[in-house]
Amino acid sequence: MNSNKKSYFSVYTTAAISIFITISLVMFPEHAFEAAVNGLNIWWNVVFPALLPFFVCAEILMGLGVVHFMGVLLEPLMRPVFNVPGEGSFVMAMGLASGFPIGSILTTRLREQNMCTKLEGERLMSFTNTADPLFMFGAVAVGMFGNPVLGGTIAIAHYLSSLSTGLIMRFHGHNQEKTVPYKNSGKLFYRAVIQLYTARKKDGRPLGQLMGDAILKSMNTLLLVGGFIILFSVLIKIMEVLGVLSVLSTALFKILAPIGIHSDLIPSLINGFFEVTLGCQEAGSASAAVPLIQKTMAAGFIIAWSGLSVHAQVASIISKTDMSIRPFFFARFIHGILAALYTFLLMKPAQTVLQGISVPVFLHTQPQGTLSFWLERLIFMSSQVFLFLLILLSISMVIYLYTNMVIIFLRLNKKKY
C-alpha cells in the first residue's frame, strides 16, 4: 500500500508541476522567450564549441582501442588511488580539461562496453565532473568578478576538491563489491599493446563508419545537453517572475545566517542550485558589502555543485545504464563543500603567489562565439588533455617501477633465506 501511495504521489505531483509550468509559460511568454534565447547563447557560445571536438575524438579513440591501451598503462595509478580501472584516467583527463558533463558521458560509454562495473562507474563519474579552466578563468574570474587573479584560486580549489572527492568516493559500495587490488604482472607496455589490438579487432568498424558514428552520437548528446540548458534557463526565469526564488532566498538565509553568510549572497546560492552560470553571475555582482572571500567561496561551491541543470543532464545520459544518480548527487555536495573550504584556505596565499605569475592571454578573455575563439579554445583544451594524461602517466610509471623494485627485492631476500 505504501509503495502504491508513493507511486500515486509521484505521478500526480509530476503532472501537476508540468501543468503549472505550461500555464506559466503561457502567462509569461516574453520572459520565457528571453530566457530561452539566453540559454541558447550559452550553449552555442560556450558548451557546443568546447565539447563537440572532444566528444568526437573520445568516440574515435575508444573505437581504435587507444583508451584500452591507456587503461593498462594507467592501471597502477587509478586502481590503488581511486578504486577504478585504468581506463578511468582518460575520463579524468577529459573531464578536467573539457568540463561537465563529459565525465559522465565517457563513463557511460565505458559502462556500455563493460570496461567498468556499476559501482566503478558511479565512483568515476563522481569526481570527473569538473568545470573547464576557461570557464573558471575567463567567464567567472574575468567576466563576472572582473579580477583575473581569482581564476587561479578558484581553479586550484576546484581541482583539489575534485581529487579529494575521488579519494572519498573510492569507498563507495565497498560492502557490495570486493575491492579489486592492482596486481603487477610485469610487461606493462606489452600488455597495453595487446589490449589495443584486441579492442580494435573486437570493434571492427571501418574508420569511415567509426568517424560517422562518433559525429552522430556527439551531436545527439550535445542537442540533449542544449535542451536541458534552455529548459532550466526558462524554469529559473519563471520562478523568478513568480517570486519563488525570493521565498527560497528567505528560507535559506534563516539557515545560513548563523554561520556568517552575508544575506546578499543568498540569491546566488539559490540560482546556483539550479544553474551554475546564473549562480556565479549573481555571486560576482553581489553588493560591495559582501567580502570578496565570501563571493569567491560561493562561486567555488556553485561551480563544484554544478547545478540541477547538469544533474538532470547526467541523469538522462546514464539512464541507459544500471548506474544510479544518487552517488553523483552526494558527491556534488561533498565537492562543493570542499571547494568552498579549499578556497577559504588558499585565498590569501594563492593571491600572493599568482600576482607575480603570468597567465595566458587566452584565459583573460570571455567566451564568445567566433571562429578564432573556437579554434583557440580547441588548441588550449587539447593541450590540457595531453598535459593531464602526461602527468597521470608519469605518476603511474613511478608507481609501477617502485612496485617492480619491491617485488624484486622481496624475491632476492626470499632466495637468500
Side-chain angles (χ1 to χ4, degrees):
M1 290 294 292
N2 288 334
S3 62
N4 285 336
K5 287 181 179 179
K6 290 181 180 179
S7 177
Y8 288 138
F9 178 79
S10 175
V11 170
Y12 292 134
T13 302
T14 304
I17 293 174
S18 300
I19 294 171
F20 176 75
I21 292 173
T22 303
I23 294 174
S24 300
L25 293 177
V26 174
M27 292 176 62
F28 307 103
E30 292 184 3
H31 294 91
F33 179 78
E34 179 187 352
V37 171
N38 289 336
L40 180 61
N41 286 333
I42 292 173
W43 177 74
W44 178 249
N45 292 329
V46 180
V47 178
F48 185 85
L51 297 185
L52 178 61
F54 295 97
F55 282 178
V56 175
C57 289
E59 290 286 344
I60 293 174
L61 290 175
M62 284 186 181
L64 294 176
V66 176
V67 176
H68 302 74
F69 173 82
M70 292 167 45
V72 176
L73 292 181
L74 289 160
E75 187 82 7
L77 169 64
M78 302 302 293
R79 180 61 68 184
V81 177
F82 299 110
N83 198 15
V84 296
E87 288 82 359
S89 61
F90 177 72
V91 180
M92 182 177 173
M94 294 290 278
L96 290 173
S98 308
F100 30 69
I102 195 168
S104 302
I105 293 170
L106 296 182
T107 302
T108 300
R109 296 290 292 119
L110 294 185
R111 182 62 188 135
E112 288 174 341
Q113 296 184 14
N114 290 320
M115 295 166 67
C116 67
T117 65
K118 172 182 179 295
L119 291 174
E120 288 171 348
E122 291 171 353
R123 294 180 198 127
L124 183 59
M125 70 177 182
S126 293
F127 73 94
T128 56
N129 184 82
T130 54
D132 69 270
L134 181 59
F135 175 74
M136 291 182 281
F137 279 91
V140 178
V142 177
M144 301 174 190
F145 280 80
N147 187 346
V149 181
L150 281 179
T153 305
I154 294 172
I156 293 170
H158 184 73
Y159 290 135
L160 283 178
S161 56
S162 172
L163 296 176
S164 301
T165 303
L167 293 175
I168 294 172
M169 292 303 293
R170 78 179 308 279
F171 300 104
H172 164 63
H174 68 279
N175 293 327
Q176 306 171 41
E177 179 181 82
K178 290 184 178 180
T179 300
V180 181
Y182 166 66
K183 295 181 180 179
N184 189 343
S185 56
K187 299 180 179 179
L188 189 67
F189 188 77
Y190 174 76
R191 288 189 288 114
V193 171
I194 294 299
Q195 187 69 16
L196 184 151
Y197 179 81
T198 305
R200 179 64 186 128
K201 282 295 182 181
K202 184 177 180 181
D203 184 278
R205 286 176 292 174
L207 184 59
Q209 182 184 351
L210 182 61
M211 294 177 64
D213 291 345
I215 294 172
L216 183 61
K217 287 183 180 178
S218 300
M219 289 300 298
N220 286 337
T221 304
L222 278 171
L223 288 173
L224 173 70
V225 171
F228 274 109
I229 292 174
I230 295 170
L231 174 63
F232 271 84
S233 295
V234 173
L235 291 180
I236 293 170
K237 189 65 177 180
I238 293 299
M239 287 192 291
E240 180 185 346
V241 173
L242 293 175
V244 175
L245 294 184
S246 62
V247 174
L248 293 175
S249 297
T250 303
L252 185 60
F253 177 68
K254 292 181 180 179
I255 298 173
L256 298 180
I259 62 176
I261 301 296
H262 200 283
S263 59
D264 289 350
L265 271 183
I266 301 302
S268 68
L269 296 176
I270 295 295
N271 280 279
F273 177 77
F274 295 99
E275 213 284 317
V276 60
T277 307
L278 296 176
C280 289
Q281 282 178 338
E282 285 286 342
S285 61
S287 68
V290 183
L292 180 61
I293 190 169
Q294 285 199 20
K295 292 183 181 181
T296 312
M297 289 173 65
F301 176 86
I302 291 167
I303 294 170
W305 167 254
S306 64
L308 287 186
S309 174
V310 173
H311 294 201
Q313 294 169 33
V314 173
S316 177
I317 290 164
I318 68 172
S319 61
K320 61 185 76 171
T321 70
D322 56 354
M323 293 187 295
S324 171
I325 191 65
R326 286 189 293 273
F328 177 86
F329 189 86
F330 172 76
R332 295 283 57 74
F333 181 74
I334 297 297
H335 190 182
I337 295 296
L338 291 176
L341 177 61
Y342 284 142
T343 301
F344 176 77
L345 297 175
L346 293 170
M347 187 72 174
K348 288 184 178 179
Q351 294 287 91
T352 304
V353 173
L354 293 172
Q355 285 285 358
I357 298 178
S358 61
V359 177
V361 175
F362 178 65
L363 291 178
H364 283 199
T365 60
Q366 298 183 50
Q368 49 190 313
T370 61
L371 183 60
S372 61
F373 180 83
W374 286 12
L375 181 60
E376 287 183 357
R377 181 173 188 144
L378 176 61
I379 294 172
F380 172 77
M381 297 175 76
S382 298
S383 66
Q384 296 304 298
V385 171
F386 287 120
L387 176 62
F388 289 136
L389 285 175
L390 183 61
I391 293 172
L392 293 175
L393 183 60
S394 301
I395 298 173
S396 181
M397 290 300 100
V398 170
I399 296 173
Y400 171 73
L401 293 174
Y402 173 77
T403 308
N404 267 350
M405 290 174 63
V406 170
I407 292 173
I408 293 171
F409 179 76
L410 291 175
R411 286 176 178 172
L412 289 174
N413 278 349
K414 188 175 180 181
K415 289 180 180 179
K416 187 183 293 185
Y417 295 103

